[in-house]
Amino acid sequence: MTVRTEGHHPDFMKMAKELDKLNHWEVAVGFFGENDAKLLTIVRANEYGATIKPKPGNKFGGYLMVSYKDENGKQRFYKLKEVVIPPRPFIKNAWEANKGKYKQMVFDGLKDICNGDMTAMKLLNKLGVTCVKDIQEEAVKLKNPPNAPLTVENKGSSNPLVDTGEMIRKVTYKIIPD
């Protein structure tokens, strides 16, 4: 979008500068792994699915050892050739369910900027906060595909994307240069 700097509105230059900021900044929403590669691995495995296989020549004879507690509370292990995590696209689902709302939010924000009631950065922050909330809510409400029985047993709950709550708490946004 090109902002022309001519007009007769008394606050035209201020409005044009705010609108022009939207050409240079954008909102990135999701998980940022500068300090947490493990979290990104978990998010990626859940969003897109994953198949986990043992490393060749591992000390368990080519098996993954998955722990569980028996009926007496004693730790035991299942020997598995692979673990398949089905896709649970909570980020994509949140976007698909809310993209109309985001479009309207931007449209309303542009009107507010033109009326002098909002800045570009306030619009970007409002959009970021809303997207984060929507992703968090989608992660909590997603129920299918369900967890495997062993996962339910180990976690103590059947909600596929909620265990400790860490992943949901780490959804965030950044305003970055375009």
Side-chain angles (χ1 to χ4, degrees):
M1 173 171 92
T2 303
V3 177
R4 293 179 36 193
T5 56
E6 55 187 70
H8 302 290
H9 189 280
D11 291 324
F12 182 80
M13 290 306 294
K14 179 181 174 188
M15 180 183 6
K17 285 179 184 178
E18 284 302 316
L19 291 172
D20 190 51
K21 287 178 186 176
L22 297 175
N23 287 322
H24 303 287
W25 296 93
E26 64 185 17
V27 181
V29 182
F31 300 86
F32 304 97
E34 294 91 356
N35 300 315
D36 202 344
K38 179 181 175 188
L39 175 68
L40 289 182
T41 300
I42 292 167
V43 170
R44 192 176 305 112
N46 279 292
E47 183 73 14
Y48 301 107
T51 299
I52 303 167
K53 295 182 179 186
K55 292 181 181 177
N58 75 2
K59 65 181 179 179
F60 302 113
Y63 288 95
L64 294 169
M65 304 302 285
V66 179
S67 69
Y68 72 98
K69 291 189 177 169
D70 67 16
E71 62 278 351
N72 298 319
K74 187 173 181 179
Q75 186 174 12
R76 303 278 184 189
F77 293 91
Y78 284 112
K79 290 171 47 174
L80 304 173
K81 284 287 187 188
E82 67 180 22
V83 173
V84 177
I85 301 169
R88 294 180 175 101
F90 65 105
I91 299 169
K92 179 184 175 203
N93 290 353
W95 168 256
E96 291 297 327
N98 294 289
K99 63 185 173 185
K101 175 174 75 173
Y102 304 146
K103 184 177 180 180
Q104 187 64 47
M105 185 181 291
V106 170
F107 181 75
D108 292 343
L110 292 172
K111 286 194 298 187
D112 288 343
I113 289 170
C114 290
N115 290 330
D117 297 329
M118 181 178 276
T119 66
M121 290 301 164
K122 283 185 181 176
L123 172 57
L124 294 173
N125 277 296
K126 182 178 179 181
L127 187 58
V129 167
T130 302
C131 291
V132 165
K133 181 178 96 29
D134 291 340
I135 291 170
Q136 290 170 327
E137 288 175 358
E138 181 62 32
V140 171
K141 79 177 189 182
L142 190 140
K143 302 293 184 224
N144 287 305
N147 279 326
L150 176 60
T151 304
V152 173
E153 186 179 319
N154 282 337
K155 277 176 43 171
S157 83
S158 61
N159 192 317
L161 295 176
V162 178
D163 187 8
T164 66
E166 178 183 13
M167 185 178 78
I168 293 170
R169 284 191 305 275
K170 297 252 177 135
V171 182
T172 190
Y173 75 96
K174 294 179 179 182
I175 297 174
I176 57 175
D178 187 19

